[in-house]
Amino acid sequence: MSEVLVLVDHVDGAVRKTTAEMLTAARRLGEPSAVFVGQGYAAAKDDLARYGAATVYLAEDAVFTDHLVAPVAELLAELVSRTSPAAVLIASTNDGKEVAGRLAIKTGSGIVTDAVDVQQVDGGVGTTQSVFAGNYTVTTTVTKGTPVVTVKPNSIAAEEAPATPSEESVWVEVSEGARAARVTARAEKEKSDRPSLTEAAIVVSGGRGTAGDFGPVEAFADALGAAVGASRAAVDAGWYPHSHQVGQTGVSVSPQLYVAAGISGAIQHRAGMQTSKTIVAVNKDEEAPIFELVDFGIVGDLFTVLPQATDTVQQSKG
Amino acid sequence: MNIVVCVKYVPDAQGDRAFEADHTTDREAVDGLLSELDEYAVEEALKIVEAGEGEVTVLTMGPEDAATAVKKSLQMGADKGVHVLDDAIAGSDSVATSLILAEAIRKIGDVDLVLTGLASTDGVMSVVPAMLAERLGMPQVTFASELTVEDGSVTIRRDNEAFSETVEASLPAVVSVTDQINEPRYPSFKGIMAAKKKPVETWGLADLGVDVAHVGLGASWTMVTDTQARPPREAGQVVTDEGQGGEALAQFLADRRLA
């Protein structure tokens, strides 16, 4: 059975959920080999084994993390030529997509980004993407080279398949060109107790209707164990950090439940949330386009509706 | 400082975008315009040149209408335009796009900085800048939310979910910028008038030495097998809050086992 390379998405060894999702998808195509780049493997080891990595390639040298994207692409190109994998799966993050783009050029391979599903099909690897702000579903087959696919977080249900991976340190002589962009500082962002936006099962977002007060949005999010998002209008107004922006130029989310509070539902916002399984909206304006998308909508003031919903949820939890 | 800004002409995201029978983007049904995210790249190029010296060339590829994207950039203040126009380009994917743009940048020559937006608003892949860097052998300094150019080097701030990174490289480099970096200007009346006199060159693939066998739909290394309009979501229940809206919301979530 062919190997399938999975580039592990992690922060200092804390494996992100996407990695388990990619290992699950990889098992449909062949035998998953995890490629772990950077420090912290000890913390990641159990997770990779639990989701079925048969092999782990370890690239712990600082050269791979001290420079932007290019050295990792060179490493993967080397592994592709060595192992002739059935596919390479990479998380659809900014870094991940750029690694994929460079790898596709280096290896003369077809690339698909933001896949929400990956399957074995006649003639190779088939993917599904959601495009035009989620209004269209596109299926694609890679027809040349080693399929390079970036997988959108929260799209494929992770399933455990315990394995005992063999471990192998790998090394590639990184070219001078790939070392040209240097990461000279890396500041960790303030850690929040809330789940991360792309991984959360529930997201509660606030928009213009909050008038700058995200209190009720955060309180409802906490009652549900949810991540907090914001519309572009709220971010541009300086009410919430850009890292929480849901939409075309922010984060694209696909949770089980998406709650839009005081968000009209402009196309820029829909692009980032339309594939959510269940959508709920609270908005004073009954004409707001967001109501076209909802499973349940309330025409009302978020400052009364959300606190009441928060109280009711908390009471039911006892 | 010679800056090339790569811009794309895209269907307006506010319209009902759709696909043709061959699964390529329908570029007729919806009016096109300069991709909104490219305006930030044009603005940043203008700011760099205005603070020092140099020239801004805007580069696009695509059908005749794509000249609109060049024109808007010239109205904003770019100095000249290049439009790669060739029937063989239709249906080109990111791999072919990066090939054509890279050859056009080589032909423009003596480039210090290649600037792009963070993604097009139609394809939204965000891979072309990295591919350009790969092809041109230039450092890739992408997703900049802050940018400084001085003494032959470029420094950016790049944010991702976990970190805020500072990245440095020497010029020439490929830089993509996010919508956090600036506020693009509107073309002034003077800018609109001046744009009419600015030079725009039109190049074919032969001018770039690009083999038509490497571009277009047929050359793509991926094949779109199907494009389906997402079925409209079943109309949900919308109620007006008359005092119990929050309780109704909590009940809905409890029924669905979401709370």
Side-chain angles (χ1 to χ4, degrees):
Chain A
M1 194 157 48
S2 294
E3 290 185 46
V4 178
L5 299 179
V6 173
L7 180 61
V8 177
D9 185 18
H10 72 98
V11 178
D12 296 330
V15 172
R16 309 195 69 209
K17 217 170 103 193
T18 327
T19 303
E21 294 161 3
M22 290 192 291
L23 287 169
T24 303
R27 297 203 303 270
R28 301 170 187 164
L29 310 173
E31 192 177 75
S33 295
V35 181
F36 186 94
V37 176
Q39 296 297 308
Y41 174 61
K45 192 174 171 168
D46 288 349
D47 276 339
L48 302 182
R50 187 175 322 127
Y51 289 95
T55 305
V56 177
Y57 296 112
L58 282 168
E60 295 173 291
D61 196 286
V63 72
F64 297 111
T65 45
D66 286 353
H67 305 277
L68 204 59
V69 176
V72 178
E74 290 191 351
L75 172 73
L76 288 177
E78 167 68 18
L79 285 172
V80 165
S81 96
R82 235 182 72 188
T83 65
S84 307
V88 182
L89 305 184
I90 301 173
S92 264
T93 58
N94 290 350
D95 289 53
K97 290 203 272 193
E98 295 193 323
V99 167
R102 299 187 78 123
L103 180 63
I105 302 283
K106 280 180 194 297
T107 59
S109 299
I111 174 175
V112 174
T113 59
D114 291 312
V116 296
D117 198 13
V118 182
Q119 295 288 350
Q120 182 87 49
V121 295
D122 254 4
V125 172
T127 61
T128 307
Q129 303 88 248
S130 180
V131 305
F132 289 164
N135 286 331
Y136 273 79
T137 302
V138 170
T139 54
T140 306
T141 311
V142 176
T143 51
K144 185 166 179 292
T146 302
V148 178
V149 179
T150 77
V151 179
K152 203 171 156 180
N154 240 350
S155 304
I156 295 168
E159 290 160 22
E160 296 187 8
T164 311
S166 62
E167 294 161 6
E168 185 190 333
S169 284
V170 288
W171 163 254
V172 57
E173 189 67 49
V174 172
S175 71
E176 203 177 317
R179 284 182 272 130
R182 301 171 304 277
V183 178
T184 55
R186 187 172 277 145
E188 205 162 335
K189 291 203 170 151
E190 216 173 295
K191 280 222 177 80
S192 155
D193 291 335
R194 300 192 180 102
S196 98
L197 204 47
T198 50
E199 296 182 323
I202 302 178
V203 175
V204 181
S205 291
R208 207 185 295 272
T210 64
D213 178 3
F214 265 63
V217 170
E218 292 183 332
F220 191 47
D222 290 341
L224 297 173
V228 175
S231 72
R232 184 173 180 174
V235 170
D236 283 353
W239 298 340
Y240 223 69
H242 177 256
S243 53
H244 291 261
Q245 184 176 317
V246 172
Q248 187 179 48
T249 57
V251 178
S252 177
V253 300
S254 201
Q256 293 297 318
L257 169 65
Y258 187 84
V259 181
I263 293 176
S264 66
I267 188 78
Q268 287 87 347
H269 191 71
R270 293 159 74 135
M273 48 66 74
Q274 193 156 217
T275 55
S276 304
K277 313 297 178 292
T278 300
I279 298 174
V280 168
V282 182
N283 201 302
K284 272 202 263 192
D285 176 10
E286 62 180 318
E287 303 289 328
I290 192 81
F291 286 123
E292 294 163 17
L293 300 181
V294 298
D295 296 281
F296 189 72
I298 295 168
V299 180
D301 187 346
L302 72 92
F303 287 97
T304 55
V305 173
L306 288 189
Q308 189 181 59
T310 304
D311 286 347
T312 313
V313 168
Q314 277 167 343
Q315 278 163 19
S316 71
K317 281 183 181 162
Chain B
M1 174 79 52
N2 290 325
I3 305 178
V4 173
V5 187
C6 301
V7 300
K8 187 174 182 185
Y9 176 74
V10 298
D12 190 343
Q14 306 294 339
D16 282 324
R17 294 174 295 179
F19 288 99
E20 303 269 15
D22 66 355
H23 305 311
T24 57
T25 303
D26 183 345
R27 299 191 185 275
E28 301 293 324
V30 176
D31 285 344
L33 74 176
L34 170 64
S35 179
E36 183 210 338
L37 297 173
D38 295 342
E39 292 183 18
Y40 298 91
V42 174
E43 176 64 34
E44 200 60 22
L46 296 175
K47 282 171 73 174
I48 293 167
V49 166
E50 284 162 2
E53 43 74 52
E55 190 174 61
V56 177
T57 304
V58 16
L59 167 63
T60 199
M61 55 179 267
E64 286 195 17
D65 289 349
T68 309
V70 173
K71 188 170 143 194
K72 171 86 182 277
S73 310
L74 296 177
Q75 291 173 342
M76 287 174 71
D79 298 292
K80 57 184 188 177
V82 172
H83 180 182
V84 183
L85 174 66
D86 199 306
D87 289 344
I89 290 173
S92 289
D93 62 4
S94 57
V95 171
T97 298
S98 65
L99 173 68
I100 296 165
L101 293 177
E103 290 308 325
I105 291 163
R106 284 201 179 99
K107 185 171 160 74
I108 291 167
D110 195 23
V111 173
D112 300 300
L113 199 57
V114 177
L115 270 173
T116 77
L118 76 93
S120 63
T121 57
D122 54 353
V124 212
M125 290 179 76
S126 292
V127 295
V128 167
M131 288 177 167
L132 276 178
E134 178 74 32
R135 289 190 185 277
L136 293 166
M138 290 183 189
Q140 169 201 332
V141 194
T142 42
F143 291 100
S145 51
E146 288 171 13
L147 171 66
T148 318
V149 178
E150 55 187 12
D151 301 333
S153 74
V154 53
T155 306
I156 67 155
R157 197 185 89 213
R158 174 180 168 111
D159 290 312
N160 57 43
E161 218 172 343
F163 301 105
S164 182
E165 295 171 325
T166 308
V167 185
E168 278 180 30
S170 51
L171 298 179
V174 177
V175 176
S176 75
V177 302
T178 74
D179 63 338
Q180 298 297 299
I181 199 162
N182 57 41
E183 272 304 319
R185 67 193 68 183
Y186 290 101
S188 63
F189 179 72
K190 203 174 139 207
I192 291 169
M193 296 312 287
K196 293 178 179 172
K197 296 198 188 81
K198 290 176 178 171
V200 178
E201 289 195 45
T202 304
W203 295 343
L205 292 176
D207 298 319
L208 303 179
V210 172
D211 185 343
V212 293
H214 292 150
V215 303
L217 187 58
S220 180
W221 297 345
T222 55
M223 185 171 68
V224 174
T225 49
D226 195 23
T227 48
Q228 289 286 335
R230 189 185 172 88
R233 291 185 85 103
E234 276 181 43
Q237 185 191 358
V238 179
V239 300
T240 300
D241 179 33
E242 285 164 352
Q244 277 86 42
E247 288 168 13
L249 172 53
Q251 188 60 48
F252 172 83
L253 299 180
D255 290 347
R256 300 278 185 112
R257 298 182 185 279
L258 289 166

